[in-house]
Amino acid sequence: MMDMDQLVALCRRRGFLFQSSEIYGGLNGFWDYGPLGVELKRNIREAWWRDMVSAHNELVVPAGAPSAYEMVGLDCTIIMHPQVWKCSGHYDLFHDFLVDCRESKRRYRHDQVQGRWVEAKGRRIFVATEAGGDEGLTDAEHKALKFFDLRAKHADELHWDGPLVSLTTVTDLSKVLGPDAKALGTLTEPREFNLMFETYSGALRDENSKVFLRPETAQGIFVNFKNVLDSTRVRIPFGIAQVGKSFRNEITPRNFTFRSREFEQMEIEFFCHPSTSRAWYQYWRDRRYRWYVELGLAGERLRLRDHEAAELSHYSCGTADIEYAFPFLPPGEFGELEGIAHRGDFDLRSHMEGKLVRQGDGLVVELDAEGKPKYRGSGKDLTYFDDQTKERYVPHVIEPSAGADRAALAFLCEAYREDTAPDEHGVPTARVFMKFHPRLAPVKAAVFPLVKKDGMPEIAREIYAALKPHVNVFYDEKGAVGRRYRRQDEIGTPFCITVDGQTLSDGTVTIRDRDTLKQWRVHKTDCLAELRERIANS
Ligand code: ATP
C-alpha cells in the first residue's frame, strides 16, 4: 500500500492541495485546492450532480428502485435563521466531548483518545495515546516504560491488561496518564463542546444577532421543502439535492483533509411515503455504494457498513455508512465517506412543531420548565397532500449525505500507483501514476508534437485548439517526449496524443493509454470523438 507522506508530497508538488494560508504558517483544519485539485473536486461534484440530478430520468424505474422518481436541486445560504438550528437539534446536541490536559495544555476529543491498562511496581494506570493500531501499542509501551522508569529490556515488568480501549470506558481519570503528560491525572472531566461556528449578522453584536455557519447542507433543504412543492410540479417520491460548504469547529482536525473545519457536502433529502420508506432506504444505500464503485473505488478498501441498533441516532430507523480504508488509518480501520440514513418524519415535523425528543416509541415536542415548547417550530404546514389517493401525510426522508473532500481524498489515495515502465530509451524505470477514472481526471488528454520542428507543433496546436472548448486538455512541447508522458502520468491524465512523422504523411496521431501504455493511431480530426467514447466507456 502507498505511503501517505508520498501522496501528500505529490499533492503539494503538483498542485492538488495546499495548506490554507501556508505563507503565514497555515491554519489548522483548513485546506486549499490548487490548479489540479480544483479540477478533480469539480469533476467529483459534477459527476455527483449529473448522476444523481441532471441526468436522472424520472420517466423510467431505475434498477432496484421501488418506482420512478424525480430529482431537483437547491442552493441555499450558509447562514440561516438561528431557529433552524434550534429546531433541528444542532444548537443543543451537535457537540463532541473534549478533555483538556492541565499539564500539556493540549485538548483532545474524548472519544478519539485510546489507551491500555498496565500494572507495574504495584501501581495500575491507564496509559493514553492518540494513535491507534500498532502505533498506539508502541506509543503506550514507550510511555509506560518512561512513567515507571524502566529500561526497554525490562518491558516484561509491564503487565498489560487488555487491548487498546477508548478513554470513554475509563471512569476514574486520576489513574490516566494523558497522551502528552508525564504525571498522572492531568486530564479534566469531559465536557461538551458545540461544533457550530458562531458569528453575528448585522451591526450589533448581541445574543439576538448571533448566527451560525451551517454544519450541514441538509437543513436548507428541509426548510425549503414547501417552496419546492409550491413552485414546481414534483410529486412524491422525489429528492432535493444540494452541494455546498459546511463548517464544523472540529476539536482535532487531522488526517490531511479527512477531518477539516471547512468542507463541502453533497446531500440528497429524498421524500417518500412512510409505507415505502424502507424500500427507498435500501435503494439509496445500494445506489450510493455503486456510485463509488463505478468511479473506481472498487477494491476491498471500500465497504458498506450497516449501523448496529445502538449506533443509530434517536430518530433514525436505519443508517449505513460507505467507508474507505484510508492509508493513514491503522490496518482494519475504515473512515466514513458518506452516511445514508432513514430519518423518518423527524426533520419536517421538527420544522413544523418544534424541537422533538423521544418519548417511548414516539417523538414529542420538547418542553421547557414552564411547559411551553423549548424551541418553537415554524408553525407552517409541511405535510404533503396526495391528490390521487386524497391522503395527507408527513413524508419520510432518506438522506444520502456525502463529503466532496473525503471523496476527493479517497479517489486520490486509490489512484496513487507505482510501477515500472520503459522510458524513452526503452529502459524499465520506476513510474508514479495516478489512476483516476477518466471522468474524474483533472486533465483528460495532453497534446504533444514529438519534436519541435517539421511542422509538428503547428498540427499539435490545431488539435489542441479543436479539443480545448470541449475537454480539459494540456499542451506541452518542452523536453523529451518520455518525460512529458511521465509528467502527465503523475497527475493522472488518461490519454496523451502525439503528433509524429507519420502524421505529416497520413494525418494520423498516436494516442497512448496511461494505464496499459498501449498506443494506437487515429486520424487527427477524430481525436474528440475518440476521447469522448473512451471517457464514456471507462
Ligand atoms: P464523522 O463521524 O467522521 O465526524 P459524521 O458522521 O459526523 O462524520 P455526517 O454528519 O454524517 O458526518 O456528515 C456527512 C458527510 O460529511 C460525512 O460522511 C463526510 O463525508 C462529510 N464530513 C463530515 N464532517 C467532515 C469534516 N470535518 N471534514 C470533512 N468532511 C466531513
Side-chain angles (χ1 to χ4, degrees), residues 158-342:
L158 296 172
H159 302 292
W160 295 100
D161 179 8
L164 281 175
V165 290
S166 168
L167 179 64
T168 54
T169 61
V170 179
T171 45
D172 183 358
L173 290 175
S174 71
K175 301 243 170 25
V176 175
L177 179 63
D180 299 285
K182 293 196 180 71
L184 269 194
T186 61
L187 296 186
T188 60
E189 287 296 324
R191 57 194 174 87
E192 286 175 8
F193 173 77
N194 196 297
L195 299 182
M196 284 198 292
F197 277 96
E198 294 175 7
T199 186
Y200 297 91
S201 174
L204 288 176
R205 289 191 161 246
D206 58 16
E207 264 312 294
N208 292 331
S209 60
K210 197 196 270 178
V211 289
F212 304 95
L213 304 192
R214 67 180 175 203
E216 60 172 38
T217 56
Q219 297 305 323
I221 300 180
F222 295 127
V223 301
N224 275 296
F225 173 72
K226 202 168 154 36
N227 285 340
V228 172
L229 274 186
D230 293 348
S231 61
T232 66
R233 288 167 52 199
V234 287
R235 294 180 47 82
I236 275 180
F238 71 93
I240 306 179
Q242 173 163 223
V243 177
K245 288 268 174 124
S246 292
F247 302 80
R248 297 184 186 178
N249 199 359
E250 299 279 359
I251 297 169
T252 45
R254 53 161 99 186
N255 292 334
F256 210 10
T257 57
F258 182 81
R259 190 169 299 288
S260 308
R261 289 181 169 142
E262 173 173 345
F263 55 95
E264 211 160 343
Q265 290 187 308
M266 308 184 291
E267 296 195 295
I268 296 171
E269 305 303 326
F270 189 80
F271 301 94
C272 58
H273 189 277
S275 66
T276 51
S277 59
R278 282 255 143 222
W280 281 112
Y281 166 66
Q282 204 61 35
Y283 166 73
W284 279 107
R285 178 185 166 279
D286 299 342
R287 176 69 194 98
R288 290 301 307 146
Y289 178 73
R290 218 170 55 239
W291 187 77
Y292 293 95
V293 174
E294 285 162 2
L295 287 171
L297 296 192
E300 59 196 24
R301 303 186 77 81
L302 186 74
R303 77 172 183 194
L304 180 61
R305 184 180 68 85
D306 290 303
H307 282 209
E308 318 245 326
E311 257 184 286
L312 297 178
S313 19
H314 62 291
Y315 48 78
S316 181
C317 2
T319 299
D321 284 345
I322 299 170
E323 301 178 325
Y324 185 72
F326 286 97
F328 46 75
L329 297 173
E333 280 189 27
F334 287 72
E336 175 183 327
L337 289 180
E338 169 161 352
I340 299 101
H342 183 309

Side-chain angles (χ1 to χ4, degrees), residues 416-435:
Y416 186 93
R417 304 290 156 103
E418 289 172 7
D419 70 355
T420 41
D423 68 5
E424 59 265 42
H425 311 294
V427 182
T429 328
R431 171 176 85 132
V432 169
F433 70 111
M434 295 298 280
K435 198 175 173 183

